[in-house]
Amino acid sequence: MIQVSTPATQISVKKIDAISREPLSDVEFMVTESNGTVVGNRNGKYVTDSVGTILIDGLDPNTTLVIKEVRAKSGYVLDDTPQTVK
């Protein structure tokens, strides 16, 4: 699930279990702009916290982001389908 605040200067990504709907911590995502430029100061890598969330702020409202899961939580299957957010 991806939630976008208005104006879209920040986005919140929440990873949840598809069956139990419980949040999943320790899931890693790669976040880039649509042109491939990495976002943030961690080479585009973000890891969900204890409530299954990452928050990316300081974004230009005109930026299109591509968010892709790159490491699943232990015991889960990786969903590497890129999600685009504008």
Side-chain angles (χ1 to χ4, degrees):
M1 175 188 321
I2 298 175
Q3 300 170 330
V4 180
S5 61
T6 305
T9 58
Q10 68 177 210
I11 88 162
S12 173
V13 176
K14 184 162 187 152
K15 182 68 177 180
I16 58 174
D17 181 288
I19 297 170
S20 71
R21 311 301 286 172
E22 293 294 318
L24 296 175
S25 62
D26 199 33
V27 178
E28 186 174 320
F29 291 88
M30 172 62 74
V31 182
T32 62
E33 294 180 9
S34 59
N35 65 6
T37 302
V38 296
V39 173
N41 58 6
R42 293 174 242 148
N43 293 323
K45 294 182 181 180
Y46 292 85
V47 178
T48 57
D49 61 16
S50 62
V51 292
T53 302
I54 62 173
L55 178 66
I56 305 166
D57 57 7
L59 299 170
D60 179 331
N62 299 315
T63 301
T64 299
L65 298 178
V66 178
I67 302 170
K68 182 177 177 182
E69 186 176 322
V70 293
R71 182 176 45 83
K73 184 174 180 105
S74 179
Y76 286 85
V77 176
L78 179 71
D79 177 2
D80 63 354
T81 305
Q83 303 292 318
T84 303
V85 179
K86 182 166 182 163

